[in-house]
Amino acid sequence: MKNKAFAVLAAIGCLLFASTAFADQPFDWQKGLQPAATSIMEEIRWFEQYTLWFIVPITLFVLVLLIVVVVKFRESKNPVPSKTSHNTAIEVVWTLGPVIVLLFLAVPSFQLLTRQLAPTEEPELTIKATGYQWYWGYEYQVGESPLSFDSILLQDGDRAAAGKEDRGVYPRLLAVDNEVVVPVGKHVRLLVTAADVIHAFAMPSFGVKIDAVPGRLNETWFKADREGLFYGQCSELCGKDHAFMPIAIRVVSQEKYDTWLAAAATNLGDANKALMASVDGAAKSVNVAANAAQ
Ligand SMILES: [Cu+2]
């Protein structure tokens, strides 16, 4: 019996963690937010938990009050209703109570907003993301000739040629042909706009979500604290293929980023392939080593 329970728990554990082991993306039966890859997202996750400590007790309290009123003051038990219309003590309590609760929520909320909107560091890299119907275009503002490319949903037929057949790493509807590549631990400034209709650039594990509005340049930032392949999506209904313009950001070491950037200036496809070989190839050899050790 115990073994059976353990097996079920282990299976659930595998389900929960299996897909997150490869890349940061949503997974089946996910309930909470995605694991954080930036300090801002760390804080967002904390704030979500913190808020629940207010929401859940208040909801339960209101439920209890409703049940008490329904039971205690039902017609058969209480045929002559009270005509009380005012009670100063209650007025004071139900005004001050919510004010205090809102203060407890507002202070950390505004602190978090400030950290999101007013970064304290200078950006080390600036990338401009432009939303189109229905894909993203990226422009790296580096050196004399800025690097720019489009990032389009990976079609199943193109998987083999792109070397992206592993659906754990390159999932259907999230994988793209050209990922954004950024160095780990570096402050990246993100300029976001759109060329046709309003889109929104969202990267859940970075805590980034910002509207892409034609004729307007929005600015945000992120600083990924670990390497990996992160997936997000357009988050503003923008037309029939809104669900098919994913965002993929590959966070790599500064060294790998430098190599990629230098190669991408002449041939983006080859640069991506070389980067994939060094990243995915390294991951595989790590797995093999771990298997051998067991
Ligand atoms: Cu869109």
Side-chain angles (χ1 to χ4, degrees):
M1 199 58 198
K2 256 186 181 170
N3 279 345
K4 213 173 179 185
F6 181 76
V8 170
L9 279 180
I12 292 172
C14 288
L15 268 179
L16 286 180
F17 296 109
S19 35
T20 51
F22 299 108
D24 287 80
Q25 52 180 278
F27 52 88
D28 292 348
W29 300 99
Q30 181 183 337
K31 287 184 291 293
L33 300 168
Q34 282 184 42
T38 63
S39 60
I40 290 289
M41 189 56 199
E42 212 70 81
E43 266 186 72
I44 293 175
R45 284 174 61 103
W46 173 85
F47 188 63
E48 188 221 9
Q49 301 285 320
Y50 173 80
T51 314
L52 282 176
W53 285 101
F54 295 89
I55 294 173
V56 174
I58 290 171
T59 310
L60 292 178
F61 177 61
V62 172
L63 178 68
V64 168
L65 285 184
L66 279 173
I67 292 172
V68 167
V69 169
V70 166
V71 173
K72 202 171 163 196
F73 299 107
R74 66 187 191 273
E75 198 186 5
S76 57
K77 192 88 185 289
N78 189 51
V80 186
S82 156
K83 297 222 169 109
T84 309
S85 68
H86 197 81
N87 183 312
T88 308
I90 289 179
E91 294 276 352
V92 170
V93 168
W94 75 33
T95 306
L96 281 184
V99 166
I100 292 168
V101 169
L102 287 178
L103 275 178
F104 271 99
L105 292 176
V107 171
S109 170
F110 281 119
Q111 283 174 339
L112 175 55
L113 269 177
T114 308
R115 270 192 279 276
Q116 277 184 298
L117 297 175
T120 49
E121 296 173 9
E122 281 299 304
E124 286 162 280
L125 170 66
T126 298
I127 297 174
K128 182 176 159 197
T130 307
Y132 297 93
Q133 281 177 318
W134 288 275
Y135 59 95
W136 290 93
Y138 298 102
E139 189 176 311
Y140 282 63
Q141 301 185 344
V142 285
E144 297 284 287
S145 53
L147 167 69
S148 65
F149 57 84
D150 292 335
S151 181
I152 296 166
L153 179 84
L154 182 71
Q155 302 296 326
D156 277 348
D158 298 335
R159 281 182 180 274
K164 294 179 176 175
E165 284 174 301
D166 184 345
R167 285 165 191 256
V169 181
Y170 304 102
R172 183 177 161 268
L173 303 186
L174 285 177
V176 298
D177 56 353
N178 300 317
E179 293 95 12
V180 178
V181 179
V182 297
V184 68
K186 292 290 155 72
H187 184 116
V188 179
R189 171 166 55 189
L190 194 64
L191 304 175
V192 179
T193 187
D196 35 42
V197 300
I198 303 178
H199 302 265
F201 189 97
M203 181 51 68
S205 43
F206 290 2
V208 164
K209 181 179 273 183
I210 189 159
D211 275 350
V213 184
R216 181 168 160 171
L217 205 56
N218 279 338
E219 181 178 335
T220 186
W221 66 282
F222 63 85
K223 187 175 176 179
D225 52 24
R226 59 190 164 87
E227 294 179 30
L229 184 50
F230 299 88
Y231 290 107
Q233 286 173 306
C234 176
S235 295
E236 178 67 61
L237 193 54
C238 60
K240 79 175 173 65
D241 285 350
H242 163 62
F244 306 101
M245 48 181 294
I247 297 159
I249 300 183
R250 196 190 278 283
V251 181
V252 298
S253 67
Q254 179 73 47
E255 192 193 343
K256 284 191 177 128
Y257 167 77
D258 290 338
T259 313
W260 171 82
L261 188 65
T266 47
N267 189 327
L268 180 69
D270 286 354
N272 282 341
K273 283 237 165 96
L275 181 66
M276 275 171 62
S278 72
V279 174
D280 295 348
K284 265 174 204 139
S285 67
V286 169
N287 281 341
V288 170
N291 290 341
Q294 277 170 2

